Amino acid sequence: MEVKGRKKDSIEQFIESPQILVDNGLSQLRYMILIEGLSVPEGYEQCPYRAYVWSILCKVPVYPAHKYEKVVSNIQRKLTPEVYQKIKNDTFRTLMNDRTFHARVSEDCLMRILAAIATSIPENKVGYVQGLNVLLAPIAYTCYKSEPQAFAILHHLITKQIPLYITPNLDGVHTALSLVDIVLKIIDPVLSEFLDSKFLKAEIYAFPSVLTLCASYQKPFHSFEITTTNERIEELPWLG
C-alpha cells in the first residue's frame, strides 16, 4: 500500500536531483546503493523506486509507448515460427510456481517483450537464446506498469552491456564463468582450491546464475517489487 506524503530517503532524493556530471553522479549512486541499499519506507511492502534506479544505472531513458507499439506491430511479420516456438517453450515455465510474479506479469507480456527483442535485433545477430525469459522476469516484474520500459531495459542490457550473451554459443556466458573462477581464486583461495580438487569449475555450479545474472536465484519474488510509470520516469532529470 502506498503512503502519501512520505519522506523520501537520500537515494530517492539523489536520483531526482539534477546531476551536472553524470558519470560522477552514477559513481555516487552506486556507492550509496552499496552502503545504504534500496530501502523500504514505512507503510510500503517494497522499495518504490527500484525501476528508476535500474533505468538510471543502465542509462535507459523512458521508452515511448508509440515506439513500442510499432515494434510489436511488426512481430507477426518478422518473427519466424521457429523462434516463436522457442519463446513459447520458455515463457510458460518462467517462474511457474511463483504466484506473486504471475499476478503481475502475464505470459502474454513475456511473449510480447521477447518477440519484440527477437525481431528488433539486427538480422546478422541472434535475437533469442534460452535464458532470456528468466533474465526478463525481474525486469518485467519491476516495470510491471510500463511494458515499454521493461523492453527498453532488456534491449539495452543485451545489446550494449552483455551482447555476447545472445551469441549462438553463449560466448559471453562462458567468458563470465571463467571470470568467476578467476575472481574466486583471488577473494577466497581456500574455497577455490577445494573446488578445484573436486574438479568443480564455475561452468558446473554457476552456469544458471551467470546465464540469468542471478535472476534464477530462488527467493520470494516480491523482493523485486516496484511501481513504475512512464510519467514518473519522465520526471527524473537524469533521463530527460
Side-chain angles (χ1 to χ4, degrees):
M1 181 181 67
E2 185 170 333
V3 179
K4 295 183 178 180
R6 65 178 175 81
K7 183 179 180 180
K8 298 177 181 179
D9 64 24
S10 58
I11 293 180
E12 189 170 11
Q13 292 179 36
F14 184 76
I15 65 176
E16 292 184 350
S17 63
Q19 300 295 319
I20 298 176
L21 301 176
V22 175
D23 288 340
N24 289 346
L26 288 172
S27 296
Q28 178 66 21
L29 177 59
R30 294 187 187 100
Y31 179 78
M32 293 174 72
I33 294 171
L34 179 64
I35 299 301
E36 302 176 24
L38 300 183
S39 63
V40 180
E42 183 178 355
Y44 283 71
E45 293 182 357
Q46 303 298 328
C47 174
Y49 54 83
R50 186 185 300 272
Y52 317 132
V53 169
W54 287 5
S55 295
I56 289 171
L57 292 178
C58 290
K59 298 182 180 179
V60 177
V62 60
Y63 195 80
H66 71 273
K67 285 189 176 182
Y68 181 64
E69 289 173 0
K70 185 176 181 180
V71 174
V72 171
S73 68
N74 290 325
I75 289 176
Q76 187 172 3
R77 178 173 58 87
K78 292 184 175 182
L79 192 67
T80 65
E82 293 78 14
V83 175
Y84 170 82
Q85 195 57 51
K86 285 182 180 180
I87 295 174
K88 183 67 176 176
N89 289 343
D90 284 344
T91 54
F92 91 93
R93 60 189 178 195
T94 303
L95 302 177
M96 60 189 307
N97 296 322
D98 195 318
R99 295 182 179 179
T100 303
F101 173 76
H102 288 285
R104 288 192 169 177
V105 182
S106 67
E107 184 181 353
D108 287 343
C109 173
L110 296 175
M111 285 286 298
R112 277 193 302 273
I113 296 175
L114 292 174
I117 291 290
T119 55
S120 61
I121 300 294
E123 293 183 1
N124 62 332
K125 295 183 179 180
V126 177
Y128 184 79
V129 294
Q130 187 176 14
L132 276 185
N133 61 308
V134 182
L135 196 59
L136 168 62
I139 298 174
Y141 186 84
T142 297
C143 300
Y144 77 99
K145 287 189 176 181
S146 180
E147 188 175 312
Q149 194 66 14
F151 163 79
I153 292 176
L154 181 62
H155 188 278
H156 173 84
L157 187 65
I158 64 176
T159 58
K160 303 297 183 182
Q161 301 288 344
I162 51 173
L164 293 180
Y165 262 56
I166 57 171
T167 58
N169 297 323
L170 302 177
D171 296 328
V173 179
H174 295 294
T175 300
L177 288 166
S178 297
L179 184 60
V180 171
D181 288 326
I182 294 172
V183 171
L184 182 62
K185 186 173 295 186
I186 295 172
I187 65 174
D188 196 333
V190 175
L191 177 58
S192 176
E193 184 177 351
F194 173 78
L195 292 175
D196 285 343
S197 70
K198 303 297 182 181
F199 302 101
L200 291 174
K201 294 293 186 181
E203 289 273 357
I204 298 175
Y205 65 83
F207 189 88
S209 297
V210 172
L211 174 65
T212 63
L213 301 184
C214 293
S216 61
Y217 176 63
Q218 296 299 311
K219 62 185 297 186
F221 209 83
H222 57 73
S223 62
F224 294 104
E225 184 176 352
I226 190 69
T227 56
T228 306
T229 61
N230 278 349
E231 291 76 12
R232 177 73 187 279
I233 291 176
E234 286 174 341
E235 294 174 0
L236 298 179
W238 300 45
L239 301 176

